[in-house]
Amino acid sequence: MKQNLMHQQKMHSLGVLGKVVSPEGFVSDEALQRLRGFGLSDPSPQLRKALQVALTHASYAHENSSFFPAAIRGVFSPLQELGKSYLRKQAAVEIFRRQAIPNVGFLSGEVAQVSSSLQHWVTRQVWILSSCSIGRSLNRDSLPSRVVADFFYQVIGVLCLAGEDKTAALLVSDLIAYSDQSAGIRDPKTLLQEQVKQPLTYEYRRSGPDHAAVFHATVTSQDGRQGTGEGASKKTASRAAAEEFLRKYVPNVFRKEPDGESGTDALEITEEPAHSQTVGRLQDLFSLSSAARPLLSQALIHSSWAYENRPKMKACRQRDNLILGHIGSQVLNYEFSLSCARQIVEDPLQELSNSTPPNRVLDKAFRHAGLAQGLLLGVGQASLGVPLELGANTFQAVVGAVFVSKSYPAAMRPEWPTEWEPIWRMVVQEIQDGVDPSTLLAQIASAMKLQLECDFVASGPDHARKYTAVAVLGSQALGVQTKVSGTAVAGKTHARQDVSQRILDVLARLASEYPKQALAKGEGDLSLARFILTHQAAIISEQRIPVQRWVDAELFGLHWASSPRRLLEWSQDADELVTRVVDFRSGASRFEQTFRTANEADSDSIDDMETELTATLDVLESVDDAESISRDQLDVLVQLCNVYRCLGSRDPDILVGELAADWQLLHRGRLELPQDLPVVKLSGRERAILDAAMNSVMKSRSKVIVEVASSEPLRLNFMTETPLDRTTLVRACSLWSRVSRTVKLAANETGIQAAVVGATVPESPGPITRAALAAMEPIAHPYQAAVADLLHDLKNQLVAARLATSSPADTRTARLEQQLAASRHLDQAHALVVRLRATTSLLQPVDAENTELGSFLRSYASTMLSRLPRHISLSVPDARQTVRVALSERGLIAVLDNLVGNSIEALSEGGAITLDWTADDNEAVIEVADDGPGLPEQVIEALSSGERVRSTKPGGNGLGLLGVRSLLGRVGGEFTLVPTSSGTAWLITLPLSSDLTQEGS
């Protein structure tokens, strides 16, 4: 409650707007009277002054500088942007609420029509014309409509800042009503033809001199009705004639009556588990009723999926997310403009470069929010991944769905959940973040270990002194430095911001998909970009980097690691930019590992599969009767086993033709394959996914047809004449599609569609491109292989339990013997479930939380001390500094419980366990050590070689250490064994929290 109150107080702050001195003759009484008619309560003195500023032209402020400090001139533009964004948002909301919207183009056009009507409407607003203050160069009786429109925008902006949203809404509603009645039809000729549905004849005549010709048009219908109009061209005249005809004979097209409260009779798409889970998560997150689920579902439907699933869309009365995306974009643009205006009125000297949240930020919010797993994409689009624009639009659509479901609140900030607080700061950039260009550049420079200093050069007379900032960038890795100069501006702070923004702009172009093209305009920028990129390559070649921070800062192309095509495009440009300067062939292996780490950190596939595994264990753990084990439960277990086996192995590549021959032998007589198959090489993982698709369709027990829909990219249709259980198909497709980024499966009415989109290998690739290609090749994960072995054993025990009771028993003794055998197999199965359960804490999804390390370790050590045997001591680490690591408390507890638990078992006769930690600017290191007998030699060898760890404990499975390594790897951390003369010592390396916006707060 207190936080909300503080937020409201901040929200209504008018800053410098409420502090101007009213000059003599500054009139606003008529304006206040008119605004009261629109619901404005008795305004405070600060609001009166702010409205005076809103009705002031910059020329008047300049001529009366004693009343208006120079700083206030910078508020006019942000106020206008705020007014414009509010107008577009309200127009979109009213149009969306009152009538059916056929498509997003219609909605966008209607909003544009309202905006274009403004300049006609404001000229009729006498209260603006009589109350505004203008400079001597302007004439009140002949003010350009554009100037009057700016006054209106500024008034709306002030009302929004003051929390007078209802007054602003009524003002905009008055404009919309005028727009409905004015000459506001975008295409009257087409509308006339649609309405009259008779042959129409247009006749023209011309008058006036050649240099100022006027055309007169007459439109006549078959029944003799006419409309006339004139204009500077035949097109304009004919449109005017058509509009007059409509006004005379079809006036109802100009009256847009509300249809009542907007709602939707659509149904949620429920057949896609990941989609439904995301819808449920959003519903809980924003505290929405179940009635909101269809709209949330719509927000996660891409047009490609809608097109490929037209029958399902029609049955559910659903549509794609484009209209919601438009609503959400208007909402976020308004919130962004509101935030910017708040900052400006508090600190008018600062400069804000963006007027709307850029797509790259919205796409980052989309991924941070974990919406990708619930997004419904067509097979083709899914194979290409989620590009930046698509991710940005989906995030906006989700905001639009929430906004509508919340009944169109005046502001989204009070409705925003605490869990998404970092996303709000990311998208809206509130003032408390304080991430100005200089701060942001310092953070990025720190992440990539680039030295940054700033000098200033003064110029001009004392009364008009200007400063040019010179940024000095130093690279210890290269042993060189470079200088970047900004432009001459007033004040050192502005000068520093100016040069920082120039460097950030170069970094942004360097991060684009085609950096060479983006940098082609300026030679100075190209030279700076080469220096920065070469420094980044040198850092990666020589030392460990905080990968997630580099991904978030979009350094060295790591933000493209999840998209094979985009990463290759970037890598080829990077090779051309860098290898002309330095030979980095020796660092290719480090490049590969870095790309691979970035790829895995961005992947949610492991999280999804481990969530599925945990849910399956929950079911199997409660099985007490062999006869209650269903075929479906076994199928899910087999599928999970195969998925983990695939992830845990590295099978050789195979040609499509060879794979088809294997299928033909395996399914002889039941399979129809095309004669000519394309020559496409598949990786072992891609083969496993296609095998899974084939096996899923083969369950129909009827003939299966494989069709090649295209060869580049490879698209296969697995079809059967006998209908299959769609839920089972969807589950299989969802699970296997997450095994590889290059293959996507989608269930349809006849079977499964598969799309294989591999990367195109360029000729003579450079070291960075070769590393990117190598990072795309799947590797075997020992942890997943160990899980697969246990799942295989678990499946065998369950099958044996079923078989033990399936055969007939002639005597009571035989039946009891069967029950005993089944019971023994179930006991073995439960034991295996328990062994898998031992790693459940490591099987939970990696979340976006972070942990303050010092206080956590003190708390953890205190809790552990109360559980330790008396003969074992535990040291408690000191809190030397405050750092936040990129892993949740739950994840840290899982890791430490595993290692400390191993130490306790090793110290059966007593000893000491030590916890300690340290940190620098980029990462923290935790040490867990004991003075026990040390690890067995075979465990050390397995860990150093990356192979399976065979447990030396009775009933052990070796999953603990592998699980720790897997979990840490997924957040960009490392897990290493430290050689010691006695005992065992582990180092846990974790990157610090990568949220750059948080660091500035």
Side-chain angles (χ1 to χ4, degrees):
M1 181 66 72
K2 182 178 178 181
Q3 184 179 4
N4 286 338
L5 179 61
M6 291 176 62
H7 173 74
Q8 293 294 329
Q9 290 172 344
K10 173 191 169 182
M11 181 170 145
H12 298 163
S13 173
L14 294 169
V16 71
L17 296 177
K19 300 175 183 177
V20 297
V21 179
S22 301
E24 186 179 348
F26 198 83
V27 180
S28 63
D29 289 345
E30 187 171 349
L32 289 175
Q33 187 67 25
R34 182 60 174 153
L35 290 174
R36 286 192 180 98
F38 284 103
L40 180 67
S41 56
D42 189 29
S44 65
Q46 289 77 19
L47 179 54
R48 286 172 177 264
K49 292 180 180 181
L51 288 170
Q52 290 173 353
V53 175
L55 289 166
T56 301
H57 191 263
S59 61
Y60 185 87
H62 179 75
E63 292 171 6
N64 294 271
S65 56
S66 60
F67 301 109
F68 296 92
I72 208 168
R73 297 174 204 162
V75 306
F76 292 127
S77 179
L79 282 179
Q80 291 168 22
E81 287 298 326
L82 177 56
K84 290 175 185 177
S85 64
Y86 183 82
L87 170 60
R88 288 190 289 264
K89 184 194 80 164
Q90 286 300 110
V93 166
E94 286 209 23
I95 293 164
F96 179 81
R97 293 180 71 171
R98 71 186 187 181
Q99 59 185 307
I101 308 296
N103 52 59
V104 70
F106 175 86
L107 177 58
S108 178
E110 291 292 296
V111 172
Q113 175 60 39
V114 173
S115 296
S116 66
S117 300
L118 175 64
Q119 292 194 14
H120 298 283
W121 178 79
V122 292
T123 57
R124 302 186 177 197
Q125 306 307 305
V126 178
W127 62 276
I128 295 180
L129 294 170
S130 62
S131 301
C132 64
S133 298
I134 55 178
R136 290 186 294 271
S137 60
L138 296 174
N139 186 340
R140 190 181 304 274
D141 297 327
S142 59
L143 275 180
S145 58
R146 176 182 55 79
V147 173
V148 188
D150 285 344
F151 288 139
F152 172 76
Y153 287 135
Q154 289 168 190
V155 168
I156 292 291
V158 165
L159 291 173
C160 291
L161 284 172
E164 299 288 349
D165 306 271
K166 292 182 179 178
T167 302
L170 289 173
L171 269 172
V172 172
S173 293
D174 193 60
L175 166 61
I176 294 174
Y178 173 83
S179 176
D180 290 344
Q181 299 169 2
S182 67
I185 299 177
R186 288 177 285 125
D187 190 358
K189 292 179 70 175
T190 300
L191 182 58
L192 175 59
Q193 188 65 63
E194 291 174 351
Q195 293 292 324
V196 174
K197 298 177 181 175
Q198 295 180 14
L200 298 169
T201 303
Y202 287 87
E203 296 178 347
Y204 303 92
R205 65 182 178 85
R206 174 176 169 169
S207 63
D210 291 343
H211 67 278
V214 176
F215 291 88
H216 305 268
T218 302
V219 58
T220 306
S221 64
Q222 193 174 34
D223 57 10
R225 292 177 294 175
Q226 288 187 334
T228 61
E230 62 181 40
S233 66
K234 286 185 177 181
K235 180 178 179 181
T236 305
S238 63
R239 287 169 61 90
E243 188 165 322
E244 189 197 54
F245 189 108
L246 288 167
R247 291 190 178 281
K248 288 167 63 176
Y249 303 111
V250 199
N252 62 297
V253 301
F254 293 90
R255 294 193 294 269
K256 302 176 182 176
E257 298 296 334
D259 294 333
E261 276 302 307
S262 173
T264 176
D265 62 349
L267 301 175
E268 177 190 353
I269 303 294
T270 57
E271 288 81 357
E272 308 288 342
H275 176 77
S276 295
Q277 290 170 8
T278 305
V279 168
R281 182 161 59 87
L282 290 171
Q283 178 191 352
D284 295 341
L285 196 64
F286 285 91
S287 303
L288 299 171
S289 70
S290 58
R293 291 183 69 95
L295 212 56
L296 294 172
S297 179
Q298 184 182 127
L300 296 168
I301 301 175
H302 185 250
S303 56
S304 62
W305 192 91
Y307 178 79
E308 293 179 8
N309 294 270
R310 282 165 288 181
K312 172 58 65 178
M313 294 290 288
K314 184 176 181 181
C316 292
R317 299 183 294 279
Q318 272 289 9
R319 66 198 317 170
D320 62 36
N321 63 7
L322 290 177
I323 290 176
L324 286 177
H326 183 84
I327 297 290
S329 72
Q330 302 300 339
V331 171
L332 287 175
N333 288 347
Y334 167 69
E335 296 285 355
F336 187 92
S337 298
L338 183 61
S339 174
C340 291
R342 286 182 195 144
Q343 295 181 53
I344 289 296
V345 299
E346 294 294 340
D347 182 10
L349 294 177
Q350 65 177 306
E351 298 176 7
L352 299 173
S353 57
N354 292 324
S355 59
T356 58
N359 274 350
R360 62 179 179 80
V361 173
L362 295 171
D363 177 67
K364 182 179 176 182
F366 162 79
R367 299 178 193 283
H368 190 95
L371 299 175
Q373 62 182 2
L375 178 60
L376 297 179
L377 294 173
V379 174
Q381 181 61 58
S383 66
L384 298 174
V386 181
L388 182 145
E389 293 79 9
L390 196 158
N393 183 73
T394 302
F395 179 76
Q396 291 175 134
V398 167
V399 171
V402 172
F403 178 73
V404 174
S405 300
K406 290 277 188 180
S407 300
Y408 314 94
M412 281 295 291
R413 186 66 175 107
E415 311 292 337
W416 205 257
T418 304
E419 293 90 331
W420 275 20
E421 191 67 22
I423 296 177
W424 182 270
R425 292 197 299 271
M426 188 187 302
V427 174
V428 180
Q429 299 177 346
E430 284 201 357
I431 189 169
Q432 64 260 29
D433 291 336
V435 186
D436 54 62
S438 296
T439 303
L440 183 58
L441 178 60
Q443 293 168 355
I444 294 174
S446 172
M448 62 177 171
K449 304 183 188 300
L450 183 67
Q451 296 172 344
L452 173 64
E453 296 180 359
C454 195
D455 296 327
F456 299 94
V457 177
S459 61
D462 291 343
H463 66 279
R465 179 75 68 188
K466 291 190 174 183
Y467 294 89
T468 301
V470 180
V472 183
L473 306 178
S475 170
Q476 285 188 340
L478 299 175
V480 296
Q481 63 177 214
T482 189
K483 295 183 178 181
V484 183
S485 296
T487 54
V489 295
K492 289 185 177 181
T493 299
H494 280 184
R496 186 190 297 272
Q497 308 285 26
D498 174 76
V499 73
S500 297
Q501 189 58 57
R502 181 187 169 188
I503 299 171
L504 289 174
D505 289 342
V506 171
L507 281 165
R509 278 177 275 170
L510 194 55
S512 68
E513 186 177 345
Y514 303 98
K516 263 188 65 180
Q517 180 180 334
L519 292 162
K521 295 181 180 179
E523 181 61 34
D525 289 347
L526 181 61
S527 175
L528 174 60
R530 279 197 174 124
F531 169 81
I532 293 174
L533 187 60
T534 306
H535 167 79
Q536 292 173 1
I539 288 292
I540 293 175
S541 298
E542 293 179 1
Q543 55 190 281
R544 173 185 162 79
I545 66 164
V547 174
Q548 191 58 52
R549 292 187 71 187
W550 280 47
V551 171
D552 291 339
E554 299 183 350
L555 302 177
F556 204 72
L558 298 187
H559 53 298
W560 297 124
S562 60
S563 171
R565 182 184 64 80
R566 286 182 168 84
L567 179 59
L568 279 183
E569 297 289 356
W570 183 90
S571 297
Q572 291 175 78
D573 272 14
D575 271 320
E576 290 195 40
L577 290 169
V578 169
T579 53
R580 294 182 183 181
V581 183
V582 180
D583 183 359
F584 281 112
R585 284 177 293 183
S586 60
S589 62
R590 296 296 294 269
F591 297 155
E592 176 189 341
Q593 183 56 47
T594 304
F595 285 136
R596 192 180 296 280
T597 301
N599 188 352
E600 291 180 355
D602 186 60
S603 174
D604 57 3
S605 59
I606 300 299
D607 290 347
D608 293 332
M609 286 179 287
E610 293 181 346
T611 300
E612 182 89 15
L613 174 58
T614 302
T616 302
L617 293 177
D618 289 341
V619 174
L620 295 178
E621 197 170 33
S622 62
V623 171
D624 288 323
D625 180 8
E627 293 181 355
S628 67
I629 303 169
S630 69
R631 182 72 249 177
D632 284 344
Q633 290 171 345
L634 287 175
D635 286 344
V636 171
L637 195 60
V638 170
Q639 193 122 243
L640 281 168
C641 179
N642 290 337
V643 166
Y644 276 93
R645 183 83 65 208
C646 174
L647 293 171
S649 61
R650 174 66 173 90
D651 294 329
D653 297 344
I654 189 172
L655 293 173
V656 170
E658 296 171 345
L659 177 58
D662 290 348
W663 287 341
Q664 196 78 63
L665 286 173
L666 188 61
H667 307 290
R668 189 183 302 275
R670 292 187 52 212
L671 185 61
E672 182 180 318
L673 291 165
Q675 293 293 324
D676 297 321
L677 289 166
V679 181
V680 177
K681 181 180 286 187
L682 303 171
S683 70
R685 191 165 293 182
E686 290 169 344
R687 174 199 178 137
I689 299 171
L690 295 183
D691 277 339
M694 173 65 78
N695 293 334
S696 296
V697 177
M698 274 293 171
K699 291 179 182 178
S700 67
R701 302 298 180 186
S702 65
K703 189 173 184 179
V704 171
I705 301 172
V706 179
E707 174 187 83
V708 179
S710 68
S711 56
E712 291 185 5
L714 178 64
R715 299 184 193 277
L716 300 176
N717 293 327
F718 298 87
M719 301 175 292
T720 178
E721 297 176 355
T722 304
L724 290 159
D725 179 57
R726 184 170 174 80
T727 302
T728 302
L729 283 184
V730 168
R731 179 193 292 158
C733 291
S734 176
L735 196 60
W736 282 97
S737 291
R738 302 188 183 280
V739 171
S740 171
R741 294 186 187 276
T742 60
V743 184
K744 296 299 175 185
L745 304 182
N748 56 31
E749 301 301 324
T750 60
I752 291 178
Q753 293 177 316
V756 183
V757 183
T760 303
V761 180
E763 295 183 7
S764 304
I768 299 176
T769 306
R770 286 198 301 274
L773 286 167
M776 295 172 196
E777 291 294 322
I779 60 173
H781 295 279
Y783 178 56
Q784 277 71 38
V787 172
D789 286 349
L790 284 178
L791 289 172
H792 179 75
D793 293 343
L794 176 58
K795 182 262 298 181
N796 287 344
Q797 293 296 339
L798 292 174
V799 170
R802 283 187 56 176
L803 290 175
T805 57
S806 62
S807 57
D810 298 330
T811 65
R812 183 178 64 178
T813 302
R815 287 196 300 272
L816 291 173
E817 287 176 347
Q818 285 181 337
Q819 292 172 7
L820 178 60
S823 180
R824 284 172 174 163
H825 288 301
L826 281 179
D827 285 344
Q828 290 294 322
H830 285 162
L832 288 166
V833 170
V834 170
R835 291 169 66 183
L836 281 164
R837 278 291 192 196
T839 63
T840 299
S841 58
L842 296 171
L843 299 181
Q844 299 300 318
V846 174
D847 48 41
E849 297 177 20
N850 54 60
T851 303
E852 200 288 297
L853 188 57
S855 59
F856 166 80
L857 286 176
R858 289 197 308 275
S859 173
Y860 178 84
S862 299
T863 303
M864 186 58 64
L865 278 171
S866 63
R867 302 177 186 169
L868 283 177
R870 295 182 178 179
H871 59 274
I872 298 178
S873 64
L874 175 68
S875 66
V876 180
D878 296 329
R880 304 174 186 83
Q881 58 194 110
T882 300
V883 298
R884 303 195 71 86
V885 293
L887 187 61
S888 66
E889 288 191 7
R890 177 174 51 80
L892 272 171
I893 289 172
V895 170
L896 293 177
D897 277 355
N898 195 289
L899 299 181
V900 173
N902 287 344
S903 293
I904 292 172
E905 291 182 3
L907 298 173
S908 58
E909 297 182 2
I913 301 174
T914 302
L915 280 180
D916 204 355
W917 68 280
T918 186
D920 59 18
D921 292 339
N922 296 309
E923 60 189 20
V925 179
I926 306 170
E927 182 182 29
V928 181
D930 65 56
D931 57 0
L935 285 179
E937 192 64 32
Q938 64 267 32
V939 175
I940 296 175
E941 291 177 1
L943 284 169
S944 61
S945 62
E947 297 177 356
R948 288 275 306 277
V949 177
R950 305 293 177 179
S951 178
T952 58
K953 295 181 290 186
N957 50 48
L959 280 176
L961 297 179
L962 290 176
V964 168
R965 174 168 284 175
S966 177
L967 176 61
L968 294 176
R970 282 153 55 195
V971 296
E974 279 190 350
F975 176 56
T976 53
L977 177 66
V978 181
T980 59
S981 56
S982 64
T984 304
W986 300 100
L987 289 185
I988 302 164
T989 305
L990 282 168
L992 301 191
S993 174
S994 60
D995 188 349
L996 293 177
T997 61
Q998 276 190 337
E999 292 175 19
S1001 57

